[in-house]
Amino acid sequence: MDTTLCRELNIPEDVLQLILRTSKSSTLTESFQTLTVTSRSDEGRSDLASKGIFRAVLQLVQSVASQPAHHLLLLSLRLLRNLCAGEEANQNMFIELNGVDVVSGVINSLEFDCDDSGYGVIRAALQVLANISLAGEKHQCAIWDRLFPDVFLKIARIRRRETCDPLSMIIYTCSDGSSELFAELCTNPGLAIIAEIARTASEVGFGEDWLKLLISRICLEESYFPVLFDMLSENFASENSGDAESRDSHFTSSQAYLLRMISEILNERLKEIRVSTDFALYILGIFETAVKAVDFHTRGQSGLPTGSSSVDVFGYSLIILRDTCAQDSSVVADSKTQVDEVVNTLISKGFLDLLLSLLRELELPSSIRRTMRQDGGETVTNELPRVCPYKGFRRDVVAVIGNCLYRRKHVQDEIRQKNGVIILLQQCVLDEDNPFLREWGIWCAKNLLEGNAENEQVVAGLEMQGAVDVPQLAEIGLRAEVDPNTGRARLVNIT
């Protein structure tokens, strides 16, 4: 970059000469390339700090912030980012020299519908702030006071992954270390920012886990999931942002994506997170609404996500309930009562009835249908049976029921009393639309029968009568035989 252009950009001569001299280069572009490489190591950052480069680079950023020199601004911000990476002296100087105002000024000077180079500048500016946020409470508060909520909200509405990731990191880092800042985040302006980030992620995805950490804290560790889920609804989106996102008559794609993230978080942290009863009931309410919105006469061609908001909300809410009922109470001390309370509350609200009803209305698994056709026993009716709206739906229903049954005799008894034994045994087979159905079916059957003589007797009677053929019972160590003393069928342990 020649001297004339530097003058046009109002770069102070002393700043220019210090950068050129320190890098031993003849142009600013070469200088930044050299200094950026040097600043990648601890030793390099310390050496550059001792030569006053940090102050010079920050001054240069301030000088060209409002100029149409995105390339130079990008190079200087990347160098500034490296200089702030774990270098305490530079991080402190950044605050002393009002660096937050300088960098936020860069962001505000750009149009938020800019080209790729402009978005690259915003990303680099956010990365600078992200490194500063790691320095401690003083630095976090300085960033928060300057950018929350308006600047954060503007950036959150940029539908690009390269800005979504560093923004999520800044917000999480600042709010995680301060109960006061986290409380602000959980007010309406703060949750609106998270909702916009979730919308962005639903469109373009995310590359790092900062957003999942935010969602985990807000929705699972705290109780703000209902508010956030509602903010992602069609009415809220159209009234507040004008987004024309993918949606159907009941749910938006952003709501489906939020549930997808929560299902992933819960599955990954099953041994750490304890789901509250209120949260579980709210998910159950979503599931019940989605049941009415899903078309059970259109066979799903893929697993989750399917691209249909209603089907995805339906499936991910079911998976969340599956893992909620799978929580191992032995992992966390004194948690058995809490886990049982959640499961029992769900059952008291008709969850088990709903699941059994869904299984009864579904067509039989493909392997059973094939056998019936070969035997000439398939019945033709005028009413079309329901089919799985996504591949794996039947398996997920069986998994939820199996988890509810695990070491809970009153649930085993309820299944028997609701005439659900035979329908569950029919799931211990292969099915083209449900990978691993057989394995989940055997798990469910084991939990249905374990320690329950009444249920074993029912199954033995069904087998002896030929009412059900479940050779997989042998895989859990059982077979049917007639008791010579009573003449009644019973299951015995073959191991």
Side-chain angles (χ1 to χ4, degrees), residues 285-303:
I286 293 172
F287 180 69
E288 290 173 336
T289 301
V291 167
K292 301 170 185 175
V294 169
D295 178 10
F296 283 94
H297 294 101
T298 301
R299 190 182 304 278
Q301 299 302 309
S302 71

Side-chain angles (χ1 to χ4, degrees), residues 27-75:
T27 68
L28 272 180
T29 298
E30 290 178 3
S31 295
F32 281 123
Q33 291 171 345
T34 299
L35 295 175
T36 299
V37 171
T38 303
S39 64
R40 289 173 183 165
S41 68
D42 294 340
E43 297 80 5
R45 285 191 291 272
S46 297
D47 180 59
L48 293 177
S50 68
K51 295 176 180 178
I53 282 295
F54 183 86
R55 183 187 295 267
V57 175
L58 189 59
Q59 282 183 274
L60 190 147
V61 170
Q62 189 170 18
S63 297
V64 301
S66 59
Q67 305 293 331
H70 286 177
H71 176 65
L72 180 58
L73 189 55
L74 182 59
L75 290 175

Side-chain angles (χ1 to χ4, degrees), residues 11 202 227 272 473:
I11 299 175
S202 72
V227 179
E272 304 171 38
L473 284 176

Side-chain angles (χ1 to χ4, degrees), residues 136-314:
E137 184 177 356
K138 177 183 176 181
H139 302 69
Q140 293 161 2
C141 288
I143 295 170
W144 196 268
D145 291 344
R146 185 66 180 80
L147 277 71
F148 180 87
D150 295 339
V151 180
F152 282 159
L153 186 59
K154 287 179 182 179
I155 299 169
R157 286 175 173 163
I158 299 173
R159 303 296 186 229
R160 298 177 74 100
R161 180 185 296 189
E162 56 260 47
T163 54
C164 178
D165 284 338
L167 176 62
S168 299
M169 176 186 175
I170 293 168
I171 293 175
Y172 177 79
T173 303
C174 290
S175 63
D176 187 57
S178 167
S179 57
E180 182 179 343
L181 297 187
F182 183 74
E184 282 193 53
L185 182 63
C186 294
T187 61
N188 186 41
L191 290 177
I193 295 168
I194 302 302
E196 289 299 335
I197 296 176
R199 287 192 181 94
T200 297
S202 72
E203 293 184 23
V204 300
F206 59 90
E208 301 170 3
D209 282 342
W210 298 106
L211 177 56
K212 289 175 75 171
L213 290 170
L214 276 169
I215 295 300
S216 178
R217 178 80 189 278
I218 292 168
C219 296
L220 291 170
E221 297 171 39
E222 302 293 340
S223 58
Y224 298 98
F225 170 75
V227 179
L228 185 58
F229 189 78
D230 187 58
M231 282 185 167
L232 294 172
S233 68
E234 178 179 351
N235 291 336
F236 194 94
S238 60
E239 290 173 6
N240 292 274
S241 67
D243 287 346
E245 65 168 311
S246 171
R247 59 172 69 94
D248 55 30
S249 58
H250 290 83
F251 299 102
T252 65
S253 58
S254 298
Q255 289 177 314
Y257 196 81
L258 176 63
L259 288 171
R260 176 182 175 180
M261 278 194 290
I262 290 175
S263 72
E264 291 174 357
I265 293 165
L266 187 57
N267 186 262
E268 292 164 358
R269 301 179 60 196
L270 201 59
K271 295 183 178 181
E272 304 171 38
I273 295 176
R274 281 290 160 260
V275 172
S276 70
T277 301
D278 288 343
F279 176 85
L281 287 176
Y282 194 85
I283 296 293
L284 176 59
I286 293 172
F287 180 69
E288 290 173 336
T289 301
V291 167
K292 301 170 185 175
V294 169
D295 178 10
F296 283 94
H297 294 101
T298 301
R299 190 182 304 278
Q301 299 302 309
S302 71
L304 298 172
T306 65
S308 164
S309 298
S310 285
V311 172
D312 289 346
V313 166
F314 177 63

Side-chain angles (χ1 to χ4, degrees), residues 368-414:
I368 296 180
R369 298 199 310 272
R370 192 178 300 113
T371 301
M372 292 175 65
R373 284 195 297 270
Q374 292 170 352
D375 294 343
E378 189 172 25
T379 303
V380 178
T381 65
N382 293 326
E383 184 177 351
L384 292 174
R386 292 188 169 198
V387 297
C388 293
Y390 67 88
K391 287 186 179 295
F393 166 65
R394 182 196 300 274
R395 172 203 63 213
D396 292 340
V397 172
V398 172
V400 178
I401 296 175
N403 290 341
C404 289
L405 283 164
Y406 183 66
R407 295 181 179 176
R408 295 185 179 95
K409 188 175 185 302
H410 66 286
V411 182
Q412 296 174 326
D413 293 340
E414 189 166 344

Side-chain angles (χ1 to χ4, degrees), residues 29 69 281 298 322 324 420 475 495:
T29 298
L281 287 176
T298 301
R322 177 199 70 190
T324 295
E475 297 188 28
T495 60

Side-chain angles (χ1 to χ4, degrees), residues 446 472-479 481 491-495:
K446 178 178 183 296
Q472 288 78 10
L473 284 176
E475 297 188 28
I476 58 175
L478 298 171
R479 74 163 182 265
E481 66 176 30
L491 283 182
V492 296
N493 193 322
I494 61 176
T495 60

